Amino acid sequence: MRSRIVVGTLFGAIGGFIGFALQERLVTHDAILAPPLSEMLRLGALVGTMLGLAIGSVEGAVVGSANRLLRGAVLGAVIGAIGGMFGMYVGGIVYNAALFGKDAVILDQSSNLLDFTHSVLARALGWTFLGAFPGLAAGASTLSQRKTLHGLAGGLIGGFLGGFAFNLVANLFAQPIQGMAAAASNGPQIIEIGGPSRAVGFTAIGAFTGLFIGLVEEMLKQAWVRVLVGRNEGRDFIITKPLTIIGRDERADVPVFADPALAPQHAAIRIEQNRHVLYDGGAQPGTVVNGQRVQQTVLRDGDMIQLGQVRLLFREKATASRAPAPARDAAQGPQTAGRLQMPSHLCQFCGAPKDAQGACLCTVGPTTGAAPPTPAAQAPVAGAPTMDAGAAAGSGPALVCVEGPFAGRVFPLSSLPQTIGREPGRTIALADDRSVSRRHARIEGEFGTPMLVDEGSANGTYVNGVRITSQPLAPGDVIQIGQSRFAYRE
């Protein structure tokens, strides 16, 4: 969100200054007479167009979507031009009304502090509307009713502060400096002193409008998703529309481009009775929430959403206190929400197929019938260590791969530390998975409890659906590294 605030402030300031430069060349300003209404409307249209275009482009620039940037710029410019004219007209009425019949020139030139304050506040109230409508344009360019209101609120604040700056610059800087210049020329001169004030005022309107749109949006947001892995990593997408589309399409509300296997409209979040419901679009590789594939589910704060190689963290203020996310890097026991649901014919501990009596590789004691079959998935895999007899019999701690390129393999943890990664020197070498880092993670022995530690991997290490940096392991924990999932057993 910080990038959106910074980009909004910068774009707004640039738009305001360009609007100032255009109107200085195309609008006639007189040192004594107020400009006619037609000139004021032209001024409002020019400034409003540039402010709307600049601030309307912010969302597309932040998320890196050329389609959204173009749409925002065009809609922002059109609505900004109309809003700028309307804002200038209404602002003029408000400004004159706020003077309470007093002459503006006399108030500006008065040395009385009350008169000066009166003039500044009247100008600020009038300019409030010049900022309001470009702000409205920025919100409307996203086609979101809530963001439109956020833009209006931010624009009102920005316009007020920009108008406030106008009189301060004119009275404290421009007028004294140009007055001294006139005196030095040894002759009476009538100088139009509004140029510097307009430069500062219009630039301030743009900067403050962009700033406060971001701040208001940040304070009033109710739900958002954060990209943890993939393009736009670390960025937040605020959920403001009744239906938020997630997919590989640039026009999607949450564009995700890291995985080409994802559909253009892969999933959606719909607001239903003040809750957020995630719907799967039906395309492969499906939608997974906290390690479980879903068709639809009500989201809670802290839920981990996985779309292929893309991972999103769902945040929601409404459920943040009632249903907090599992604490990262803290000891966690087995969690039903995070466990991988094994098919009934496979053992949930070792991942091997069961025989007719329900026996598998980790069954202890005599069993009736034939010995449990050796699963075909346990054929030697290049780059994976070979099981020893104790691991095959189910004795001692081990990682059992239950999904991915090494499904069915058992990696014994009879001695610690164990290193995990793609390079050949790792004790658990996952060379066939390109989504695994060369030095991905390690398992250490700490106070008798195995500790899984991520070594700064690109795609992260997950325990029960939560990304971790270090995590004590408990029996039944599901560990995800790259495309593989492992069940930890003791």
Side-chain angles (χ1 to χ4, degrees):
M1 188 60 203
R2 286 192 296 269
S3 62
R4 185 177 281 106
I5 294 174
V6 171
V7 172
T9 304
L10 178 62
F11 276 33
I14 294 174
F17 185 80
I18 295 176
F20 154 75
L22 289 176
Q23 64 82 35
E24 285 295 301
R25 296 183 63 87
L26 300 176
V27 175
T28 302
H29 296 281
D30 191 276
I32 300 178
L33 300 176
L37 179 61
S38 60
E39 293 291 284
M40 295 300 292
L41 293 180
R42 184 187 302 176
L43 185 155
L46 291 171
V47 175
T49 297
M50 296 312 304
L51 287 178
L53 185 152
I55 299 175
S57 305
V58 169
E59 188 72 17
V62 168
V63 302
S65 170
N67 183 282
R68 189 176 299 186
L69 187 148
L70 180 61
R71 182 185 67 186
V74 172
L75 286 176
V78 172
I79 302 176
I82 299 172
M85 289 190 292
F86 187 74
M88 185 62 72
Y89 177 76
V90 174
I93 296 175
V94 172
Y95 173 64
N96 290 326
L99 292 175
F100 298 116
K102 295 184 178 181
D103 187 272
V105 176
I106 295 177
L107 287 178
D108 286 339
Q109 296 177 351
S110 174
S111 59
N112 186 293
L113 180 60
L114 291 178
D115 288 341
F116 175 72
T117 304
H118 184 183
S119 175
V120 169
L121 290 177
R123 180 83 62 180
L125 288 173
W127 277 39
T128 293
F129 293 89
L130 186 59
F133 290 97
L136 188 72
S141 66
T142 65
L143 305 180
S144 167
Q145 181 179 2
R146 187 177 298 178
K147 282 195 174 185
T148 300
L149 295 177
H150 293 172
L152 176 61
L156 286 169
I157 299 172
F160 181 87
L161 294 176
F164 195 87
F166 180 93
N167 269 34
L168 290 180
V169 173
N171 289 56
L172 299 181
F173 298 101
Q175 188 172 353
I177 292 174
Q178 294 191 4
M180 288 187 293
S185 64
N186 297 322
Q189 293 187 22
I190 299 176
I191 303 173
E192 199 278 312
I193 62 171
S197 296
R198 286 188 293 272
V200 173
F202 292 145
T203 303
I205 279 185
F208 285 131
T209 300
L211 171 66
F212 281 102
I213 284 176
L215 290 177
V216 169
E217 190 173 70
E218 176 70 15
M219 290 187 295
L220 298 182
K221 68 181 182 182
Q222 296 300 313
W224 63 100
V225 292
R226 178 172 300 161
V227 180
L228 298 181
V229 177
R231 183 174 167 183
N232 294 320
E233 183 170 330
R235 287 180 177 166
D236 292 345
F237 292 85
I238 300 175
I239 299 173
T240 58
K241 299 168 66 175
L243 183 67
T244 299
I245 303 298
I246 307 173
R248 204 161 41 85
D249 193 331
E250 278 198 357
R251 295 168 295 180
D253 302 297
V254 182
V256 288
F257 307 113
D259 191 342
L262 299 182
Q265 297 184 354
H266 196 90
I269 298 176
R270 184 188 297 275
I271 301 177
E272 298 180 3
Q273 298 179 350
N274 295 323
R275 294 301 307 273
H276 294 82
V277 183
L278 177 67
Y279 288 88
D280 176 54
Q284 293 297 330
T287 301
V288 177
V289 177
N290 298 331
Q292 299 183 21
R293 184 163 180 171
V294 299
Q295 293 299 318
Q296 71 177 74
T297 185
V298 178
L299 293 172
R300 300 188 308 170
D301 181 68
D303 281 348
M304 188 73 66
I305 304 170
Q306 182 170 342
L307 309 173
Q309 299 178 17
V310 177
R311 296 186 181 93
L312 309 172
L313 177 65
F314 176 76
R315 302 305 308 271
E316 182 183 48
K317 290 182 178 179
T319 58
S321 58
R322 297 200 304 268
R328 292 188 184 183
D329 306 332
Q332 301 182 52
Q335 298 179 13
T336 303
R339 285 196 175 189
L340 186 70
Q341 298 300 306
M342 296 293 294
S344 58
H345 68 285
L346 297 180
C347 174
Q348 62 175 324
F349 299 107
C350 70
K354 301 176 183 178
D355 63 10
Q357 287 72 37
C360 61
L361 288 178
C362 63
T363 300
V364 179
T367 59
T368 58
T374 300
Q378 295 201 22
V381 180
T386 305
M387 292 185 296
D388 59 28
S395 62
L399 294 182
V400 180
C401 187
V402 294
E403 182 179 309
F406 303 93
R409 297 296 299 168
V410 178
F411 300 91
L413 303 178
S414 54
S415 63
L416 296 178
Q418 296 279 329
T419 56
I420 306 171
R422 194 160 41 84
E423 69 179 13
R426 302 263 107 176
T427 52
I428 300 179
L430 307 177
D432 291 347
D433 189 345
R434 304 300 297 178
S435 61
V436 175
S437 298
R438 295 177 62 83
R439 298 182 178 182
H440 198 102
R442 67 182 184 273
I443 301 177
E444 301 175 342
E446 186 170 314
F447 306 110
T449 300
M451 176 75 70
L452 178 63
V453 180
D454 183 80
E455 296 187 344
S457 62
N459 291 326
T461 303
Y462 292 79
V463 176
N464 299 328
V466 179
R467 188 169 185 170
I468 59 96
T469 54
S470 63
Q471 176 76 41
L473 295 178
D477 279 348
V478 176
I479 302 165
Q480 178 159 347
I481 296 176
Q483 299 177 14
S484 298
R485 292 187 184 178
F486 304 86
Y488 172 70
R489 75 165 193 216
E490 289 187 346

